[in-house]
């Protein structure tokens, strides 16, 4: 009996960690690439908000989860285009534009929600799952890992793919060089602006996907400002991972577990206000920063503008 | 004779240069504001709202009606304190983006102390206790990112954001668990009666907290411009290696600035509670900490200009709240205006710097 209970509990915890962790993972992965290329993207939170709204809205209108994800990714990418034009092409302060984009996205998505749904918060139907035969029969991890949303598999594949690109390919080398020493990389024939443009657009797309996952899969509902700091947790993940996607995955699952405790404890009916439980992930992030923050060394050219022939 | 001839163009040049500088300052200020209003107008148009009618309505409700103007001036009080807080931090090159958490903790501290002491002490002593408690609570909270920055070199942008989310949640938890008014149906703290709140100015309904806000901004301006502490603070903001080589204890300086900056945000919360609200309701968060950032940039950290821009933003804030009820445009519209303003300031000053650089390069 107790064995059964723990298995059910562990499955629920792992499922919750994945559901809450995937948005963090996608945002953190995109931010990591962007930071390695030398662009600090503080607009990631806003890009997630746009992805969350568009993903939800398109899914709700068309009934298609895939279209929702496409719209979310596109929305995140569109926001990132502003960052490219202002920061990568013109060298305007990345921090200010990032904060501005986040504020803008918060206001815009809240207005869009109001004009689309007034004060109602419609819910989406059941989420898609893709069951992998045999593997899904493994106890505990079977149902949570191998009978889940397709985007979860996609995210894990993206972690593996970016890990390979960053460590084994010329493109990965060029990305790292753009953040470490752009002038030297430029001399070696690397197009810094092109690399950084691609990196920022990738970050926006990932953040948009993460936002769409948050609203259409994790929550099945859109609420203004629902990202509630997930983008900033993604930035911390990117900081701590030091260019290794596998650490983004590990961190996302840990913080995701903290976030999912919120729902788990509420379901368990423990009489603590949600506010106390909502503090958990941020307290965990700060604790991790206190313990390991010293080892997070950012790329030297982070936030430094580079254009061929300037100065 | 040659001397006189040589003098004249020099004088004319000086006058011309002065005019050019004034013109440049005006352009740097007016262009972002115009851009923000124009882009926001396009957003309104996209939602099918007539922007001219909307802006006219905002202006009528916040400036041209007597009651509206008084609300605008009252709204300025906490915003000015937040502005003073951010001017000090930003001039020191420190990104305190945790103003909202500090504000909320200050507000809750004041709302906890005030009603508990009211009746037992003279009102002015109650107000003083509220303000001190709020500043202390917020300053301690503000030290957390400061210590992380000094001890481990962790960028304060992310940590202040985190502590902001944490602080807001903590404030709400305190309201619901510790300081809940047992008599109220909704979770909120106990309430200061109207007689126990800060008095109005004269016959108006403007809170006297406005004076505290004005004094705080002018004091921040004075400290930066005229004191040795302000000088060290600016050196830290302009050039960290120079501050270290000058023998400043940069760690202590960073911590002290964070404590003062956070304390002022906490004081803003206290002023809002003992001046206007009387209590703190759960899930109330006016988010002044983020919205004031573009204003102090637009004012280029000048005290008097800050007061002017805070007034303009308070107008927008009061006007949009009224428009939300009457015209059905959600007040989140202020986020759009403020964010476009912030990005436009960055873009315009970047262009100006770029022009100045390339201009100097010419022979």
């Amino acid at each position: 009996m107790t064995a059964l209970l723990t298995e059910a509990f562990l499955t629920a915890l792992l499922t919750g960690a994945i559901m809450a962790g995937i948005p963090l993972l996608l945002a953190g992965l995109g931010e990591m690439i962007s930071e390695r290329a030398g662009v600090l993207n503080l607009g990631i939170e806003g890009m997630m908000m746009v992805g969350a709204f568009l993903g939800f809205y398109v899914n709700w209108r068309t009934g298609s989860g895939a279209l929702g994800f496409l719209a979310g990714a596109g929305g995140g990418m569109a926001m990132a285009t502003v960052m490219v034009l202002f920061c990568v092409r013109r060298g305007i302060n990345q921090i200010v534009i990032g904060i501005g984009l986040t504020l803008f996205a918060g206001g815009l998505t809240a207005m869009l929600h109001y004009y689309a749904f007034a004060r109602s918060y419609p819910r989406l139907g059941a989420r898609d799952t893709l069951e992998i035969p045999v593997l899904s029969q493994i106890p505990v991890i079977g149902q949570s890992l191998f009978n889940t949303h397709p985007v979860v598999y996609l995210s894990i594949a993206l972690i593996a793919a970016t890990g390979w690109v960053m460590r084994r390919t010329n493109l990965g080398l060029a990305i790292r060089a753009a953040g470490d020493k752009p002038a030297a990389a430029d001399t070696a024939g690397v197009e810094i602006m092109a690399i950084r443009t691609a990196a920022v657009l990738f970050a926006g797309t990932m953040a948009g996907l993460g936002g769409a996952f948050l609203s259409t899969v994790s929550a099945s509902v859109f609420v203004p400002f629902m990202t509630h700091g997930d983008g900033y947790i993604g930035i911390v993940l990117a900081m701590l991972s030091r260019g290794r996607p596998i650490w983004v995955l590990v961190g996302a699952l840990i913080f995701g577990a903290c976030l999912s405790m919120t729902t788990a404890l509420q379901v368990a009916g423990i009489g603590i206000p949600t506010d106390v439980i909502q503090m958990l992930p941020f307290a965990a992030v700060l604790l991790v920063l206190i313990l390991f923050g010293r080892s997070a060394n950012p790329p030297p050219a982070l936030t430094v503008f580079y254009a061929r022939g300037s100065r | 004779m040659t001397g006189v001839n040589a003098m004249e163009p020099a004088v004319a040049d000086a006058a011309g240069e002065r005019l050019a500088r004034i013109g440049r300052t005006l352009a740097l200020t007016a262009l972002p504001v115009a851009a923000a209003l124009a882009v926001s107008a396009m957003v309104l148009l996209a939602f099918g709202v007539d922007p001219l009618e909307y802006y006219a309505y905002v202006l009528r409700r916040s400036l041209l009606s007597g009651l509206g103007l008084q609300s605008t001036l009252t709204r300025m009080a906490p915003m000015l304190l937040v502005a003073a807080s951010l001017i000090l931090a930003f001039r020191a090159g420190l990104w305190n983006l945790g103003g909202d958490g500090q504000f909320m903790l200050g507000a809750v501290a004041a709302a906890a102390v005030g009603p508990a002491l009211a009746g037992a002490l003279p009102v002015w002593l109650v107000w003083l206790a509220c303000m001190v408690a709020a500043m202390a609570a917020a300053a301690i909270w503000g030290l957390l990112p400061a210590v992380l920055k000094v001890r481990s070199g962790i960028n304060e942008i992310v940590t202040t954001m985190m502590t902001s989310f944490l602080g807001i949640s903590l404030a709400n938890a305190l309201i619901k668990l510790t300081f809940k008014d047992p008599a109220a149906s909704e979770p909120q703290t106990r309430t200061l009666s109207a007689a126990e709140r800060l008095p109005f100015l004269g016959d108006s309904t403007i809170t006297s907290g406005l004076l505290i806000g004005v004094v705080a901004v002018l004091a921040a301006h004075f400290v930066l411009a005229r004191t040795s502490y302000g000088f060290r603070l600016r050196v830290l903001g302009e050039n960290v290696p120079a501050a270290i080589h000058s023998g400043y204890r940069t760690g202590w300086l960073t911590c002290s600035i964070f404590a003062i900056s956070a304390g002022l945000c906490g004081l803003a919360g206290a002023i809002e509670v003992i001046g206007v609200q009387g209590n703190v309701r759960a899930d109330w968060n006016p988010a002044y900490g983020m919205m004031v950032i573009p204003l102090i940039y637009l004012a280029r950290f000048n005290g008097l200009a800050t007061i002017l821009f805070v007034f303009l933003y308070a107008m927008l804030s009061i006007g949009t709240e009224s428009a939300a009820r009457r015209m059905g445009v959600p007040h989140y519209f202020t986020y759009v205006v403020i964010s476009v303003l912030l990005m436009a300031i960055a873009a315009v000053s970047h262009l100006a710097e770029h022009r100045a650089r390339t201009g100097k390069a010419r022979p």
Side-chain angles (χ1 to χ4, degrees):
Chain A
M1 185 70 197
T2 39
L4 228 162
L5 260 179
T6 42
E7 188 181 323
F9 178 75
L10 283 177
T11 305
L13 187 71
L14 192 56
T15 309
I18 290 169
M19 283 299 133
I22 291 297
L24 304 179
L25 181 153
L26 289 168
L29 183 65
E31 179 73 25
M32 188 203 81
I33 298 292
S34 171
E35 284 188 17
R36 283 296 127 182
V39 182
L40 178 64
N41 187 349
L42 288 178
I44 210 109
E45 174 93 2
M47 295 168 191
M48 286 184 85
M49 288 184 199
V50 170
F53 177 81
L54 284 180
F56 176 83
Y57 185 74
V58 170
N59 189 331
W60 184 76
R61 286 303 287 259
T62 63
S64 158
L67 279 182
F69 274 103
L70 271 181
M77 200 183 205
M79 293 284 287
T81 312
V82 178
M83 188 121 203
V84 166
L85 291 176
F86 277 41
C87 305
V88 177
R89 302 272 150 178
R90 298 304 312 239
I92 298 173
N93 191 318
Q94 293 170 6
I95 296 169
V96 176
I97 297 300
I99 297 169
L101 281 178
T102 296
L103 281 177
F104 181 78
L108 189 71
T109 52
M111 284 179 82
L112 283 167
H113 177 266
Y114 179 82
Y115 280 104
F117 303 109
R119 287 193 177 78
S120 68
Y121 300 92
R123 296 191 74 88
L124 295 173
R127 57 175 82 116
D128 310 328
T129 52
L130 185 64
E131 185 162 2
I132 296 178
V134 187
L135 287 177
S136 61
Q137 301 310 315
I138 306 171
V140 184
I141 60 166
Q143 281 304 305
S144 43
L145 273 184
F146 299 109
N147 183 17
T148 183
H149 195 276
V151 170
V152 176
Y153 306 123
L154 175 71
S155 308
I156 309 289
L158 277 169
I159 288 283
T162 38
W164 180 75
V165 166
M166 287 304 274
R167 304 203 73 174
R168 296 262 181 264
T169 65
N170 282 338
L171 178 63
L173 189 64
I175 292 172
R176 281 183 282 143
D180 283 339
K181 213 159 181 55
D186 191 7
T187 318
V190 175
E191 293 270 359
I192 301 297
M193 269 198 190
I195 291 285
R196 286 185 170 178
T197 300
V200 172
L201 290 179
F202 177 75
T205 311
M206 289 299 111
L209 265 185
F213 189 90
L214 184 68
S215 64
T216 60
V217 182
S218 312
S220 301
V221 65
F222 178 83
V223 182
F225 301 96
M226 71 183 299
T227 50
H228 198 262
D230 280 4
Y232 300 116
I233 297 182
I235 293 172
V236 172
L237 285 175
M239 263 170 66
L240 293 174
S241 68
R242 288 185 292 166
R244 294 189 181 178
I246 188 73
W247 287 107
V248 176
L249 173 72
V250 172
L253 284 179
I254 294 173
F255 295 136
C258 287
L259 277 168
S260 75
M261 293 271 211
T262 314
T263 20
L265 290 177
Q266 271 166 322
V267 169
I270 292 169
I272 328 169
T274 47
D275 307 289
V276 178
I277 307 167
Q278 273 177 358
M279 292 168 67
L280 210 59
F282 294 110
V285 172
L286 279 178
L287 189 70
V288 168
L289 278 177
I290 291 167
L291 293 176
F292 305 109
R294 216 185 273 268
S295 58
N297 48 348
L302 189 63
T303 75
V304 180
F305 172 64
Y306 183 82
R308 182 168 291 170
S310 71
R311 81 177 68 195
Chain B
M1 192 160 160
T2 47
V4 173
N5 278 346
M7 282 286 282
E8 274 174 344
V11 171
D13 264 9
E17 215 164 81
R18 218 191 140 118
L19 262 179
R21 211 171 54 221
I22 293 171
R24 199 169 147 259
T25 309
L26 276 179
L28 278 178
T29 314
L31 276 178
V33 175
L37 290 178
V39 174
S40 309
M42 284 192 265
V43 171
L44 284 175
L45 270 178
F47 286 115
V49 179
D50 180 355
L52 288 179
E53 193 191 328
Y54 183 85
Y55 288 146
Y57 182 84
V58 166
L59 212 61
R60 267 205 312 280
R61 296 310 295 246
S62 59
L63 185 68
L64 304 177
S65 94
L67 220 58
L69 181 60
Q70 295 181 16
S71 315
T72 299
L73 291 169
T74 295
R75 179 60 56 87
M76 282 177 76
M79 287 180 177
L80 285 172
L81 282 159
V82 172
S85 151
L86 296 186
I87 286 176
L88 290 173
F90 286 15
R91 270 317 276 278
L94 300 171
W95 289 87
N96 180 10
L97 301 182
D100 292 335
Q102 295 150 12
F103 177 95
M104 286 306 298
L105 284 175
V108 168
V113 169
L117 295 181
L121 293 172
V123 276
W124 63 270
L125 214 57
V126 174
W127 298 333
L128 197 66
C130 287
M131 293 188 213
V132 171
M135 284 196 282
I140 291 168
W141 199 248
L143 277 173
L144 195 62
V147 170
L148 273 173
K149 184 182 174 72
V150 171
R151 292 251 343 258
S152 315
I154 301 172
N155 188 309
E156 76 279 12
I157 296 175
V158 173
T159 49
T160 50
M161 283 285 189
M162 297 278 158
T163 53
S164 193
F165 282 108
L166 264 176
I168 293 165
S169 293
L170 178 61
N172 276 317
L174 286 172
I175 295 166
K176 289 171 188 168
L177 292 176
T178 319
F179 304 122
K180 190 173 177 293
D181 181 0
S185 55
E186 297 288 310
Q188 62 179 43
T189 63
R190 289 166 60 202
T191 309
L192 281 172
S193 68
E196 293 157 350
R197 294 181 204 171
L198 291 177
F200 292 133
L201 288 175
D203 288 339
S204 70
T205 57
I206 304 164
T207 176
S208 47
L210 177 63
L211 298 180
I212 301 175
V214 170
V215 168
V217 168
L218 295 180
H221 187 104
F222 175 82
V223 165
L224 281 169
R226 292 271 184 272
T227 66
S228 80
Y229 181 75
F231 179 74
R232 277 181 288 160
L233 195 153
R234 281 186 288 143
V235 172
L236 184 71
E238 296 285 330
N239 193 333
V240 176
I244 295 169
H245 284 298
S246 309
Y248 300 162
R249 298 162 77 188
T250 51
W252 283 110
L253 202 54
T254 301
C255 288
S256 71
I257 295 160
F258 254 107
I260 294 170
S261 173
L264 282 167
C265 276
L267 184 60
I271 292 298
E272 185 75 1
V273 168
I274 62 176
V276 183
Q277 308 286 341
N279 62 16
V280 184
R281 295 177 306 284
D283 301 320
W284 172 73
N285 171 22
Y288 299 138
M290 285 308 252
M291 302 307 228
V292 168
I293 294 173
L295 308 177
I296 61 171
Y297 268 105
L298 198 57
R300 257 162 286 127
F301 306 110
N302 177 295
L304 289 174
T306 298
I307 295 173
L308 173 71
F309 291 123
V310 166
F311 173 72
L312 292 178
Y313 178 63
M315 264 173 58
L316 182 72
S317 163
I318 292 291
T320 48
E321 273 172 25
S322 180
R325 290 189 294 270
R326 284 297 190 74
M327 295 178 73
V329 178
H331 73 275
Y332 295 119
F333 179 64
T334 48
Y335 280 73
V336 174
V337 180
I338 277 296
S339 60
V340 178
L341 179 63
L342 184 62
M343 292 189 271
I345 295 167
V348 169
S349 52
H350 173 82
L351 280 179
E353 270 168 38
H354 189 72
R355 271 187 58 181
R357 256 207 318 274
T358 48
K360 261 178 208 152
R362 269 201 307 268

